[in-house]
Amino acid sequence: MKLRQNLRHFAAKKALTMPVVGDIATDKLVDLHVRVFGQKADPDHREEREPHMETFFELTFDTYVRALEEGFSEAEAREITHIQANFDFYNYGWTEMMEFPVDELEAHYERYADFFERYDIDIANPLGDFRTKEIPDAPATPERLDDPEHPHAVGGFADDVYVEGDDGEVRVGGREEPEDVDVDIAPGLQDVDADAETDESEA
């Protein structure tokens, strides 16, 4: 899978693993992800999906922190949560929101199979043990699975985590984590304009 990665992602990682600040960061990042993925949704269905996405994304941040605790890199931990989201989009037939093609679902699962199996996560059960609260349901569009269209999906990156930096260079595994990252630059933890806060590259 190909992700973006910049200093704000490392700031978010730091914020999410801090007492008190972690809860604030989670709320801000959930809002950001709902907006980013909401913009990918069919406009006719966007609003009805938002409550579902809000709770689902909140729980994926628990997965993210657990993956970090188990030694995964920032990029790997974030990829794990994006894979969970894409499993969920697939289950609901929300193919226009997917980040990789339907035919790469199994390959992405297999790369993190040990972690997923440990927490009872699979394609049909994207949150597994991290489903610790009820998630609002939303209408599915299963007919889209018959001939899936995913205009936002990028294929060909199922064998590893690929990270595109601000310089446009794509690196396997992500960049080295910088020292002394300022947590205040994490998305939502400072005054930013609306365009910056909804930038897809921050998700």
Side-chain angles (χ1 to χ4, degrees):
M1 185 173 181
K2 189 170 80 166
L3 301 170
R4 294 290 303 279
Q5 188 178 54
N6 54 42
L7 283 176
R8 296 184 76 189
H9 291 108
F10 291 107
K13 171 191 172 186
K14 185 174 182 178
L16 288 165
T17 54
M18 293 173 64
V20 183
V21 174
D23 292 337
I24 298 171
T26 297
D27 289 343
K28 297 294 185 181
L29 287 164
V30 166
D31 289 345
L32 184 150
H33 282 73
V34 170
R35 287 195 294 274
V36 167
F37 284 99
Q39 289 168 1
K40 295 180 179 182
D42 182 333
D44 292 338
H45 298 287
R46 182 179 301 163
E47 186 174 349
E48 67 191 15
R49 295 177 185 177
E50 288 180 351
H52 175 91
M53 289 193 291
E54 183 176 347
T55 304
F56 186 93
F57 291 147
E58 177 189 345
L59 297 175
T60 65
F61 283 106
D62 293 337
T63 311
Y64 176 81
V65 172
R66 181 64 56 83
L68 292 174
E69 292 171 347
E70 295 197 5
F72 289 94
S73 70
E74 192 286 323
E76 290 169 333
R78 186 153 45 94
E79 184 183 36
I80 285 171
T81 66
H82 278 249
I83 292 171
Q84 288 178 295
N86 280 269
F87 288 168
D88 192 57
F89 300 158
Y90 171 77
N91 291 334
Y92 277 87
W94 300 346
T95 58
E96 78 277 14
M97 297 167 61
M98 293 183 67
E99 298 174 283
F100 51 79
V102 167
D103 61 8
E104 291 185 1
L105 282 168
E106 288 285 351
H108 280 86
Y109 174 85
E110 290 298 330
R111 289 200 12 254
Y112 295 104
D114 289 345
F115 179 87
F116 288 149
E117 288 172 4
R118 189 153 56 250
Y119 296 103
D120 201 26
I121 294 168
D122 57 32
I123 295 172
N125 184 22
L127 288 169
D129 294 341
F130 295 99
R131 187 181 179 116
T132 55
K133 64 169 66 175
E134 190 65 29
I135 301 173
D137 203 5
T141 52
E143 67 279 1
R144 297 194 176 186
L145 293 174
D146 295 334
D147 185 20
E149 293 185 9
H150 19 57
H152 301 287
V154 180
F157 294 93
D159 64 318
D160 212 323
V161 55
Y162 292 83
V163 174
E164 181 178 349
D166 288 337
D167 57 2
E169 183 177 348
V170 177
R171 301 173 177 85
V172 177
R175 61 180 289 185
E176 184 176 343
E177 185 164 354
E179 297 180 4
D180 301 323
V181 175
D182 183 357
V183 71
D184 289 338
I185 68 170
L189 296 188
Q190 73 294 309
D191 293 328
V192 293
D193 60 46
D195 289 338
E197 197 165 359
T198 59
D199 185 351
E200 183 177 340
S201 68
E202 306 299 345

